[in-house]
């Protein structure tokens, strides 16, 4: 008999394998996740994914819009202070991104990544990787950001004369 817990465990294993596939030493990455008290590993961006980093005040409304536009966005990280959110996008996106106020982690940079399914070391998954390699389309992300920014601007004008 196979329960939904088995599917969840398989998905977590797939997510782990997908993430560690970019590590220079996948076994060392797994070791870090299991033994490091912070429960995080540094992984290089720019191989299977880049990360676009939005300020939290824009990131959360963007994620809200995004989840209404697509069945499942790519992985999304947040720090515990909700200061920043990182959206995983296809590699090479950062080198072409022109938006202001958005930082990027692409080739030559490293990202602090918690073990899938755990919150640790100051970061947590808002949308954990599913192991299939699903990433957020940068064009859709940009549209979601514009929609979120428009809503924020509209909220700020309430009560103004």
């Amino acid at each position: 008999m196979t329960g939904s817990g088995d599917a969840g465990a398989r998905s977590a294993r797939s997510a782990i394998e997908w993430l560690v596939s970019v590590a220079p030493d996948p076994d060392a990455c797994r070791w870090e996740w299991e033994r490091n008290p912070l429960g995080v590993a540094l992984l290089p961006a720019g191989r299977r994914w880049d990360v676009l980093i939005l300020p939290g005040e824009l990131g959360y409304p963007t994620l809200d819009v995004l989840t209404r536009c697509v069945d499942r966005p790519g992985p999304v990280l947040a720090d515990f202070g909700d200061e920043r959110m990182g959206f995983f996008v296809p590699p090479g996106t950062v080198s072409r991104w022109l938006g202001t106020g958005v930082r990027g982690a692409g080739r030559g940079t490293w990202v602090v990544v918690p073990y899938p399914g755990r919150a640790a070391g100051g970061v947590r998954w808002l949308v954990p990787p599913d192991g299939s390699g699903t990433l957020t389309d940068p064009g859709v992300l940009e549209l979601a950001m514009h929609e979120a920014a428009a809503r924020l601007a509209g909220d700020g004008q309430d009560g103004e004369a």
Side-chain angles (χ1 to χ4, degrees):
M1 179 177 202
T2 303
S4 62
D6 293 338
R10 276 193 305 277
S11 178
R13 281 192 301 274
S14 294
I16 292 164
E17 292 310 311
W18 180 72
L19 287 167
V20 302
S21 71
V22 301
D25 184 344
D27 291 332
C29 179
R30 286 186 200 90
W31 187 92
E32 278 293 314
W33 272 333
E34 293 169 8
R35 292 175 183 83
N36 183 319
L38 296 178
V40 297
L42 281 174
L43 293 177
R47 293 182 181 172
R48 289 190 184 256
W49 37 261
D50 283 358
V51 181
L52 290 175
I53 304 163
L54 281 63
E57 63 269 6
L58 177 60
Y60 279 98
T62 297
L63 181 58
D64 180 54
V65 171
L66 191 61
T67 56
R68 286 187 271 117
C69 295
V70 297
D71 289 335
R72 185 182 196 316
V76 180
L77 286 172
D79 64 11
F80 279 117
D82 291 331
E83 297 294 319
R84 293 174 298 279
M85 291 176 60
F87 292 80
F88 282 52
V89 293
T93 299
V94 166
S95 65
R96 297 183 306 273
W97 192 264
L98 299 175
T100 58
V102 176
R103 294 181 22 222
R107 186 163 294 281
T109 61
W110 295 75
V111 179
V112 174
V113 179
Y115 189 87
R118 292 187 206 150
V123 294
R124 68 189 186 285
W125 292 107
L126 296 177
V127 179
D130 63 7
S132 72
T134 300
L135 299 168
T136 297
D137 179 283
V140 174
L141 178 60
E142 182 178 15
L143 291 173
M145 288 172 57
H146 285 288
E147 174 75 19
R151 288 182 184 175
L152 289 171
D155 288 346
Q157 293 178 8
D158 290 346
E160 290 183 16

